[in-house]
């Protein structure tokens, strides 16, 4: 006998593949096993027993074709003599070799091919059915996807995070506030079902869903390793979905093999019904063997005809049932859209409304999974949900960033506030809100922040920075921050990404916005209304605005400082500045200005003006600054100013004047009439000489002349006896006047990069000048008298 196990290689599959075999495929598999047994049994009989037995026919040849073979049987006479039967019949005078020859010859010529090859046909057709059923599990283009899907499905089913997520949304896992950070999951409920294969087993069998459902969940800690594994699963599912949804090769292959089985079924059914009657017990045989045996006609007995006829009808019955399952499969394939799969019921049951519907091969495999057990797709859906993924990330974050670790990152910022800075995290840890001492929170490059109700625990929070970190703020948290937050920094690629709740913080005093307007909206420069910001005093906007946003006038009554940094984009319309009646500080940096805007001269309360990094060439309008009677600081640095007009003398109240990084070659003598000037910075220009009138600046404390072409200094300069800082580095000076001794309060003197050969020993009379405040080459310093150096080195 040939064991059926020899044929298992045709249907051998991984045990885990059973989840992709619906009931009709399982039934068809059992039917093919039954049909294969019929074929193998018939083949075994063919090999081990005589196939046909023939006897010569004594009837005349003319009647051979007319008389049935039954009539050719030898009619023996039996007589009962003394209780014994005596048989008599015709003698043929044939030996054993002649009978064997006739048997083989009649088997090949007289027996119908269907009766001869019936068992072999059964085996061949059954093997074809087996191949058709399992072909998509073996074909390289489909088997790789199936194996990958089964692998991910098993890991998703077994993951502790799956049970955790489902129990959370179903209300099975009730946890208090203190346990909000605990990473809870079921570690044993999904890991000990009968579907687990033994340790020595190479392939892992999926957990039986029935067992996983009936076992009560055991709540344990979800450790860091399990959290990382779940995180990796989310990434695998995302990539697998993108890969599988691109095509429908699995769906097409399954349809093709089903259609092939249906066609094969009809062919087998038709020819079997036609030829099954050819299996006959008696077979008439006529062969030209008279010269060898003396007979030409024979009556043959097909020894297995009776059994084969029964097996044939049994085989046809199995084929009919198999065909019905194939037809049902076709009906199932075409009566509903299997290339689309909706998780609507899962969304309704779990509350995860963001689970997306899938299509193509991904959808088809999920439909097959549902035929096995819909629990698989439900647990798999957890890893398609962004909400579930964000929850996992949050739990991992809470596990990694403990309150103790966060406290180590606390430090004072430039404003003196206790600040916590977090950068490039996948989310915002809930543990942040346990640090009630935080005064400033800086979040940079953190995606999709959602402030929880725990934000109300940060009772000392006054400053918030959102740098490329989109944030959602619940209404309850908005109420908490509305009157508490004083300073907020917001930076995005585009200003339209700025959260709208920012403009509703009515207690806000300082607002810093950075981002670009879309090109089509840059000229209009429309900004959200600032009416709610009743206490706003500082507004900074770094963008590409074509004009001052109209909404700035919403805070005109209390805005004290306005900074517009345009990154080189030209600012055209500034008329709205006239409405800022109480503005004290104005910065128009990199705004492409070629002249000083006239709107500035209407700002009667203006105290500081910064026009850095523009295209100013002429500042003739400086005369109009006399209307700004409170102006004390004027920054015109980093421009292209070639000269300073004479009427700069009108700015009697000016205290600080920055003219560095321009193209000045001379300074007007009238500059010495700005008697209130305490700081003058004309470094990084082309000055060759200084007017002696600078000695009239008796209030001057800081004078920066570095990086010019000065060859000498007027002696009158040293009349500025309040001078504390004198920067003369990188000029062409050949000597320093001994009159420097008059600068008794000088504490910092820069002389590096000049052509000096010696330093005057009168430097020792500058009582405030120490070695640390003297910036000069070491050789020049060593050339000073020893007593001067000792005096400078004294603490």
């Amino acid at each position: 006998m040939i064991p059926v196990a020899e044929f298992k290689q045709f249907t051998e599959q991984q045990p885990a593949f059973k989840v992709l075999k619906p009931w009709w495929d399982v039934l068809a598999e059992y039917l093919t096993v039954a049909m294969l047994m019929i074929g193998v049994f018939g083949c075994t009989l063919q090999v081990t027993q005589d196939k046909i037995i023939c006897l010569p026919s004594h009837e005349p040849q003319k009647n051979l074709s007319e008389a049935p073979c039954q009539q050719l049987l030898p009619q023996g006479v039996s007589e009962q003599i003394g209780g014994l039967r005596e048989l008599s019949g015709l003698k043929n005078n044939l030996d054993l070799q002649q009978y064997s020859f006739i048997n083989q010859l009649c088997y090949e010529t007289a027996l119908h091919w269907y009766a001869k090859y019936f068992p072999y046909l059964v085996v061949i057709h059954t093997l074809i059915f087996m191949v058709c059923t399992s072909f998509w599990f073996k074909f390289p283009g489909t088997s790789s996807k199936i194996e990958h899907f089964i692998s991910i499905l098993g890991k998703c089913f077994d993951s502790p995070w799956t049970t955790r997520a489902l129990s959370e949304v179903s209300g099975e896992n009730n946890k208090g506030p203190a346990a909000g950070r605990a990473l809870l999951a079921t570690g044993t409920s999904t890991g000990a079902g009968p579907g687990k294969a033994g340790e020595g087993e190479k392939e892992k069998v999926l957990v039986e869903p029935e067992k996983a459902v009936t076992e009560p969940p055991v709540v344990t800690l979800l450790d860091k390793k399990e959290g990382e594994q779940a995180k990796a699963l989310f990434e695998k599912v995302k990539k697998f979905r993108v890969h599988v949804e691109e095509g429908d090769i699995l769906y097409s292959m399954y349809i093709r093999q089903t259609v092939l089985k249906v066609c094969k079924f009809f062919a087998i059914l038709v020819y079997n019904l036609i030829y099954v009657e050819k299996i006959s017990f008696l077979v008439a045989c006529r062969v030209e063997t008279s010269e060898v045996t003396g007979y030409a006609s024979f009556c043959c007995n097909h020894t297995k005809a009776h059994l084969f006829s029964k097996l044939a009808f049994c085989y046809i019955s199995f084929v009919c049932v198999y065909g019905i399952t194939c037809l049902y499969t076709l009906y199932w394939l075409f009566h509903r859209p299997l290339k689309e799969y909706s998780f609507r019921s899962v969304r309704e049951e779990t509350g995860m409304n963001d689970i997306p519907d899938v299509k193509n091969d991904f959808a088809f495999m999920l439909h097959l999974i549902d035929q096995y057990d819909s629990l698989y797709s439900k647990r798999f859906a957890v890893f398609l949900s962004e909400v579930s993924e964000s929850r996992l990330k949050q739990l991992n974050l809470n596990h990694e960033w403990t309150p103790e670790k966060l406290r180590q990152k606390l430090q004072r910022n430039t404003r003196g506030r206790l600040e916590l800075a977090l950068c490039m995290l996948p989310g915002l840890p809930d543990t942040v809100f346990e640090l009630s001492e935080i005064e400033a929170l800086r979040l940079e490059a953190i995606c999709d922040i959602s402030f929880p109700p725990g934000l109300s625990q940060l009772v000392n929070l006054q400053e918030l920075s959102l740098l490329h970190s989109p944030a959602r703020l619940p209404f309850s948290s908005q109420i908490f921050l509305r009157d508490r937050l004083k300073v907020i920094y917001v930076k995005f690629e585009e200003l339209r990404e700025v959260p709208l709740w920012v403009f509703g913080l009515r207690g806000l005093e300082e607002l810093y916005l950075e981002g670009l307007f879309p090109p089509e909206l840059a000229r209009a420069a429309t900004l959200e209304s600032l009416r709610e910001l009743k206490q706003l005093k500082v507004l900074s906007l770094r963008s590409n605005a074509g004009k001052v946003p109209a909404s700035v006038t919403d805070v005109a009554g209390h805005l004290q400082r306005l900074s517009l940094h345009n990154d080189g984009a030209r600012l055209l319309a500034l008329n709205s500045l006239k409405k800022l009646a109480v503005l004290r500080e104005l910065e128009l940096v990199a705004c492409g200005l070629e002249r000083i805007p006239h709107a500035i001269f209407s700002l009667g309360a203006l105290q500081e003006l910064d026009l850095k990094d523009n295209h100013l060439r002429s500042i003739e309008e400086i005369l109009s600054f006399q209307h700004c009677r409170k102006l004390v600081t004027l920054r015109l640095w980093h421009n292209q100013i070639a000269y300073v007009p004479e009427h700069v003398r009108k700015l009697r109240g000016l205290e600080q004047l920055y003219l560095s990084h321009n193209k000045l070659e001379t300074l007007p003598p009238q500059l010495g009439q700005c008697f209130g000037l305490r700081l003058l910075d004309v470094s990084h220009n082309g000055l060759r000489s200084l007017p002696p009138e600078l000695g009239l600046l008796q209030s001057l404390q800081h004078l920066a002349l570095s990086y010019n072409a000065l060859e000498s200094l007027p002696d009158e300069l040293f009349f500025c006896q309040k001078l504390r800082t004198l920067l003369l580095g990188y000029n062409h000076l050949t000597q320093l006047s001994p009159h420097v001794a008059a600068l008794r309060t000088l504490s910092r003197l820069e002389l590096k990069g000049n052509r000096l050969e010696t330093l005057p020993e009168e430097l020792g009379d500058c009582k405030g000048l120490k070695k640390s405040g003297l910036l000069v080459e070491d050789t020049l310093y060593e050339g000073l008298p020893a007593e001067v150096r000792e005096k400078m080195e004294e603490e």
Side-chain angles (χ1 to χ4, degrees), residues 74-203:
Q75 299 177 359
V77 179
S78 61
E79 298 179 358
Q80 190 75 19
I81 304 176
L84 298 176
R85 177 188 300 177
E86 182 180 352
L87 299 178
S88 62
L90 299 177
K91 292 185 179 181
N92 299 318
N93 298 320
L94 297 177
D95 58 21
L96 184 61
Q97 286 78 10
Q98 289 176 319
Y99 278 116
S100 178
F101 172 76
I102 295 300
N103 291 343
Q104 294 294 333
L105 189 61
C106 288
Y107 178 80
E108 296 296 335
T109 58
L111 193 63
H112 193 271
W113 63 267
Y114 181 80
K116 285 192 294 185
Y117 303 118
F118 165 72
Y120 303 107
L121 293 174
V122 171
V123 172
I124 292 173
H125 294 322
T126 304
L127 292 179
I128 292 175
F129 279 140
M130 289 181 174
V131 170
C132 289
T133 301
S134 61
F135 183 73
W136 72 321
F137 292 126
K138 304 291 185 180
F139 184 68
T142 55
S143 62
S144 59
K145 290 184 178 181
I146 294 174
E147 290 174 2
H148 195 185
F149 175 72
I150 294 298
S151 174
I152 294 177
L153 184 67
K155 292 176 181 178
C156 292
F157 196 94
D158 292 338
S159 173
W161 172 247
T162 309
T163 306
R164 166 65 189 270
L166 293 177
S167 62
E168 277 187 348
V169 297
S170 61
E172 296 173 4
N173 190 6
N174 297 320
K175 55 183 182 290
R181 308 190 314 271
L183 309 182
L184 302 177
T186 56
T188 59
S189 62
T190 59
K196 288 281 185 178
E199 293 184 358
E201 213 173 319
K202 184 177 179 180
E203 298 293 338

Side-chain angles (χ1 to χ4, degrees), residues 222-238:
L222 182 67
D223 58 27
K224 184 177 180 180
K225 180 180 179 181
E226 291 173 332
E228 291 298 324
Q229 289 175 347
K231 181 180 177 181
L233 267 180
F234 274 104
E235 294 300 321
K236 286 184 179 181
V237 170
K238 285 181 182 178

Side-chain angles (χ1 to χ4, degrees), residues 753-793:
N754 283 283
R755 302 173 182 175
L756 299 173
E757 295 181 357
T758 60
L759 295 177
E761 62 182 32
E762 286 79 5
L763 282 176
D765 297 331
C766 300
K767 296 181 179 180
L769 187 62
K770 303 298 179 182
K771 181 181 179 182
S772 59
L774 179 60
L775 305 178
V776 69
E777 285 82 359
D778 292 338
T779 55
L780 291 176
Y781 178 76
E782 296 296 332
L784 287 171
E787 60 271 14
V788 174
R789 283 184 280 126
E790 289 177 1
K791 188 182 296 186
M792 287 187 176
E793 292 173 1

Side-chain angles (χ1 to χ4, degrees), residues 7-128:
F7 297 92
K8 79 174 201 175
Q9 58 177 329
F10 294 99
T11 57
E12 185 177 8
Q13 303 154 14
Q14 297 183 18
F17 282 7
K18 65 180 180 180
V19 297
L20 289 178
K21 297 171 69 174
W23 65 265
W24 51 83
D25 280 349
V26 175
L27 177 59
E29 184 176 329
Y30 284 113
L31 290 174
T32 52
V33 171
M35 291 186 286
L36 184 62
M37 291 179 66
I38 291 175
V40 170
F41 180 63
C43 292
T44 305
L45 293 179
Q46 290 275 66
V47 172
T48 59
Q49 297 182 10
D50 293 334
K51 302 174 183 178
I52 194 171
I53 300 175
C54 298
L55 293 175
S57 175
H58 295 272
E59 292 293 325
Q61 294 183 3
K62 61 182 180 65
N63 295 332
L64 182 62
S65 58
E66 299 175 2
C69 189
Q70 291 88 341
Q71 297 178 359
L72 300 179
L73 288 173
Q75 299 177 359
V77 179
S78 61
E79 298 179 358
Q80 190 75 19
I81 304 176
L84 298 176
R85 177 188 300 177
E86 182 180 352
L87 299 178
S88 62
L90 299 177
K91 292 185 179 181
N92 299 318
N93 298 320
L94 297 177
D95 58 21
L96 184 61
Q97 286 78 10
Q98 289 176 319
Y99 278 116
S100 178
F101 172 76
I102 295 300
N103 291 343
Q104 294 294 333
L105 189 61
C106 288
Y107 178 80
E108 296 296 335
T109 58
L111 193 63
H112 193 271
W113 63 267
Y114 181 80
K116 285 192 294 185
Y117 303 118
F118 165 72
Y120 303 107
L121 293 174
V122 171
V123 172
I124 292 173
H125 294 322
T126 304
L127 292 179
I128 292 175

